[in-house]
Amino acid sequence: MRHEPVVIIGSGLAGYAVARELRRLDGELPIIMLSADHGGFYSKPMLSNALTTGKTPETILSGDAVKMAAQLNISIRSHARVVAIDKSNNRLSLEDGEVISYGQLVLALGADPIRLPLQGDGVSEILSVNDLDDYRFFRGALSGKKQVSIIGAGLIGCEFANDLVATNYKVHVIDISAQPLGRLLPPTGGTFMQNKLEAAGVNFHLDAMIQCVEREGECLRLALSNGEIIESDIVLSAVGLRPRTQLAEAADIPVNRGIVVNKLLQTESENIYALGDCADVVGKVLPFVMPITYAARALAATLAGNPTPVHYPAMPVMVKTPACPTVVSPPDFSVSGEWHIDTTEDSVKALYQDRAGGLLGYALLGMAVKEKNTLTTQLPPIMM
């Protein structure tokens, strides 16, 4: 199907990474990118620390759709929402009724914020930040405000908390877990991060659920399961993401936690692929920058005619919390092992090792982050 274009649905990091790598390998292959929003390119990880780095929504944007189309020699269709995939005839239907044919189709759909089923007349005012438009609205809402409550003490919640408290906002973080970053850090590391962020001014409310959010005059009133009441100007939800699988499901493309693909990032349909936050790659959903980079490189080679399975090396995750520098290489807990932890007043070094002492993962906090490079070379690649 060389005469038909490669069509990429999605203009996030995954979509642009594939387009860039594919264009590097093939300067002539027609590429169409369909974006449900403005279609410009920006680094999504920059959103959670933009205040302290002095970035505005305008300066975060690296290039609009026109600039990116010219730079990559591709066609970018902004505000072009795909509503159906006809995999039998290799066609897509857009919301406005237009039909587009493809030779190879790449699903780089991303993920949607999870919304908790909360009670109260203030629930509709809870914000989330999942893209640049969301962030632009959030920054506008911050104007003239001082108190922000964040639902979720995971990676994004902690990064936003650090960014906000460092720029003189009063910040509350609420989570049902007993510690921050409960999915990434052992308890000792979670306690260390909590103490460092609290010293910076963050107020944690852990082991607590939000029972309701009510509008009371100029503020939102959060009632917690432990009896606490928190009043905030803004409430930001950061409780995780759910892969966008609806389009694939409607086309009878198998999904699990995400769109199911093999090591070639290929769905059950041989000319339809998926990567990034929406993809379940041989049972793994890896919503971080480095996995997307490796996946895009492999997929571009496959699309260019050189079938290339994706291989993931050890990929540490940098947590953007300057009050508590942190880097984590999450272990595969399906492999038997245990944490070995060394702590000092200014560091936590947690190594997840197998019975023979082999390193399977780590969490480094504070001064221990300087060991990142040395330890990463000892890690095995991610098993697929």
Side-chain angles (χ1 to χ4, degrees):
M1 299 184 183
R2 180 76 183 181
H3 60 288
E4 295 286 3
V6 171
V7 176
I8 300 169
I9 307 178
S11 60
L13 176 63
Y16 268 113
V18 171
R20 186 174 286 109
E21 291 291 336
L22 182 55
R23 182 53 77 226
R24 185 175 62 82
L25 297 174
D26 189 323
E28 302 299 327
L29 182 65
I31 302 171
I32 299 173
M33 178 179 287
L34 302 175
S35 175
D37 60 18
H38 55 84
F41 177 70
Y42 62 96
S43 174
K44 185 176 174 181
M46 293 175 64
L47 301 179
S48 59
N49 69 341
L51 288 168
T52 50
T53 56
K55 297 289 186 180
T56 66
E58 292 69 34
T59 59
I60 289 171
L61 185 67
S62 298
D64 62 18
V66 173
K67 176 182 176 181
M68 298 307 299
Q71 183 182 108
L72 297 175
N73 186 28
I74 66 175
S75 172
I76 300 177
R77 301 279 300 276
S78 301
H79 305 292
R81 187 175 296 276
V82 178
V83 295
I85 300 170
D86 179 356
K87 62 183 182 181
S88 298
N89 296 298
N90 300 319
R91 296 187 302 193
L92 305 171
S93 296
L94 304 190
E95 194 172 43
D96 63 4
E98 183 181 359
V99 175
I100 294 177
S101 297
Y102 62 84
Q104 299 177 100
L105 178 63
V106 176
L107 304 178
L109 302 168
D112 289 313
I114 293 171
R115 304 289 293 188
L116 297 177
L118 302 176
Q119 303 296 314
D121 62 10
V123 171
S124 63
E125 299 183 53
I126 297 175
L127 305 181
S128 59
V129 174
N130 192 40
D131 56 37
L132 186 57
D133 288 338
D134 288 343
Y135 187 70
R136 184 178 287 109
F137 187 88
F138 176 65
R139 282 288 287 265
L142 282 175
S143 180
K145 305 296 194 303
K146 278 299 175 186
Q147 299 195 73
V148 181
S149 287
I150 299 173
I151 307 172
L155 185 147
I156 300 301
C158 286
E159 288 184 349
F160 268 107
N162 198 150
D163 198 42
L164 287 160
V165 79
T167 46
N168 300 316
Y169 289 91
K170 183 175 182 180
V171 180
H172 296 270
V173 176
I174 306 105
D175 200 295
I176 193 172
S177 298
Q179 66 168 77
L181 271 72
R183 295 182 180 180
L184 292 176
L185 300 178
T188 302
T191 298
F192 185 87
M193 172 162 281
Q194 180 180 343
N195 290 340
K196 293 297 184 182
L197 290 180
E198 285 179 338
V202 178
N203 300 284
F204 282 97
H205 307 264
L206 303 173
D207 282 320
M209 296 177 61
I210 297 176
Q211 293 187 321
C212 87
V213 181
E214 300 282 355
R215 164 59 67 182
E216 281 204 359
E218 295 297 314
C219 70
L220 291 168
R221 185 175 185 271
L222 288 71
L224 308 189
S225 56
N226 60 9
E228 287 186 272
I229 301 295
I230 302 171
E231 293 187 348
S232 285
D233 299 314
I234 295 171
V235 179
L236 177 67
S237 178
V239 294
L241 298 172
R242 181 176 290 112
R244 291 180 179 137
T245 60
Q246 301 93 327
L247 194 61
E249 287 182 88
D252 291 323
I253 297 170
V255 304
N256 187 16
R257 290 190 299 158
I259 300 168
V260 175
V261 296
N262 59 21
K263 291 183 181 181
L264 291 173
L265 303 171
Q266 182 182 53
T267 69
E268 195 173 71
S269 299
E270 64 177 12
N271 63 334
I272 301 179
Y273 304 82
L275 81 163
D277 291 1
C278 72
D280 182 329
V281 186
V282 196
K284 295 185 184 296
V285 178
L286 301 170
F288 300 108
V289 172
M290 287 184 68
I292 290 174
T293 301
Y294 282 97
R297 195 169 297 149
L299 180 54
T302 297
L303 295 171
N306 178 27
T308 302
V310 64
H311 294 286
Y312 296 118
M315 297 177 289
V317 178
M318 301 292 295
V319 185
K320 299 190 297 296
T321 47
C324 182
T326 301
V327 58
V328 186
S329 185
D332 181 351
F333 290 109
S334 67
V335 179
S336 180
E338 61 180 21
W339 287 106
H340 297 267
I341 302 173
D342 291 323
T343 64
T344 68
E345 184 178 346
D346 57 5
S347 71
V348 172
K349 176 182 176 181
L351 307 181
Y352 192 80
Q353 297 172 310
D354 61 23
R355 292 178 181 176
L359 187 63
L360 302 174
Y362 63 71
L364 306 173
L365 297 92
M367 295 299 294
V369 298
K370 64 186 179 182
E371 298 189 48
K372 165 182 171 286
N373 292 339
T374 300
L375 290 172
T376 300
T377 62
Q378 302 174 30
L379 291 169
I382 293 177
M383 299 301 294
M384 303 290 289

